[in-house]
Amino acid sequence: MKRYPLILFCLWSICLLQGCGGTSSAADAYTAQEPFIALSVRTEPDLAHAAYTVEELYADSDVVVEGVVKSVSGTNDTLYYSGMVYTQMQIEPIAVYKGQYENETLWMCGGTMPLSTYVLNLEPDHPEKNNRYSAEEWEYGMVSQQFANNSAPQMGDRILFCGHYAEKDPGTLWNTNVTQGIYLCDDETLSTSALLVDENGFTEPLAKDILARCGGTVSAPMEENGLPILTFDRKAFLEIIG
């Protein structure tokens, strides 16, 4: 079993993106009808381990499975650090490339969840525990957390998931090396925004290996503060992992 490399945050950047102000005009007043992002958190990891090659990523994973996401939800009520938003997923498997997949829940760091539930589950000494939110934020607000550019899949997405069993909860599979194990896919390509790539080609070693061997390209962000996406050849990647 591998110990999940839970990383204590190095940077919390918290900002209120929406709210209700008493000075707003009736035309500008916010009417709380749908969920909105009330708390946005960005966390940069200090990775304890990372694969440098596709072969290392494969070796670090207990299970490599492809499937379609059939349910997805955010939580911070886990055996690990409650200040982190985690995403848990169930998939309809299409193919298993390593190990045995028996419908275990897939987990990753980052995602979205209701603000009220997030605060409720925090440790008593967490700085956000006693923050004051408006009634609208408390009822409708969501927390969004981006962890090292991890992008949480949505229902209906087809993903390739490289995961390892957690020592504290062996019935779950966690994103291999915290960020390196989740890829959106179709019949021809795989893609990720979590391998620290940019439009200038500056990459972490695993991304550099993929670029060199799988015909990868890096797209520039489509919007300000967007994430560059590494897209590469699915067939070449699968041939490497056998």
Side-chain angles (χ1 to χ4, degrees):
M1 296 293 179
K2 289 176 178 281
R3 180 180 297 277
Y4 172 69
L6 178 63
I7 312 304
L8 292 178
F9 64 88
C10 294
L11 176 65
W12 286 87
S13 175
I14 300 175
C15 59
L16 293 178
L17 299 185
Q18 285 188 278
C20 298
T23 59
S24 298
S25 67
D28 295 332
Y30 175 75
T31 302
Q33 298 289 341
E34 298 180 355
F36 64 96
I37 302 302
L39 177 64
S40 179
V41 181
R42 180 177 175 85
T43 307
E44 296 294 345
D46 178 16
L47 296 180
H49 176 78
Y52 277 38
T53 66
V54 175
E55 288 88 350
E56 288 182 11
L57 173 65
Y58 184 79
D60 288 345
S61 304
D62 296 316
V63 172
V64 179
V65 59
E66 181 182 340
V68 176
V69 177
K70 61 182 183 181
S71 70
V72 57
S73 61
T75 182
N76 65 332
D77 185 13
T78 73
L79 297 174
Y80 303 99
Y81 172 58
S82 71
M84 175 70 68
V85 177
Y86 302 91
T87 295
Q88 52 186 355
M89 298 165 282
Q90 295 288 337
I91 65 169
E92 188 69 39
I94 296 173
V96 178
Y97 302 104
K98 182 179 181 180
Q100 294 183 338
Y101 177 69
E102 299 179 350
N103 295 316
E104 294 94 342
T105 302
L106 309 182
W107 286 75
M108 62 171 284
C109 294
T112 59
M113 65 177 294
L115 173 68
S116 57
T117 305
Y118 174 82
V119 174
L120 179 66
N121 291 335
L122 293 174
E123 290 93 346
D125 60 349
H126 191 282
E128 210 40 49
K129 188 71 174 180
N130 298 314
N131 204 350
R132 294 185 178 182
Y133 290 96
S134 69
E136 288 83 3
E137 288 170 334
W138 194 251
E139 184 172 1
Y140 299 100
M142 301 289 288
V143 176
S144 175
Q145 183 169 44
Q146 185 183 106
F147 185 82
N149 293 350
N150 258 348
S151 181
Q154 304 299 312
M155 286 185 59
D157 284 347
R158 180 173 162 188
I159 64 171
L160 179 73
F161 187 89
C162 307
H164 66 85
Y165 294 111
E167 183 175 297
K168 292 183 179 180
D169 188 4
T172 62
L173 285 165
W174 287 81
N175 185 354
T176 297
N177 301 332
V178 186
T179 62
Q180 295 185 326
I182 299 179
Y183 302 86
L184 292 176
C185 63
D186 55 31
D187 290 338
E188 297 182 353
T189 64
L190 298 171
S191 64
T192 176
S193 59
L195 292 186
L196 304 183
V197 299
D198 63 25
E199 63 271 27
N200 298 316
F202 177 78
T203 67
E204 66 177 85
L206 177 59
K208 194 172 294 185
D209 186 60
I210 289 173
L211 281 165
R213 302 167 66 190
C214 300
T217 61
V218 178
S219 65
M222 298 297 292
E223 57 188 35
E224 187 177 357
N225 298 322
L227 302 176
I229 298 174
L230 171 64
T231 301
F232 53 96
D233 185 76
R234 164 196 172 91
K235 181 178 179 181
F237 184 88
L238 294 180
E239 285 179 350
I240 294 173
I241 68 174

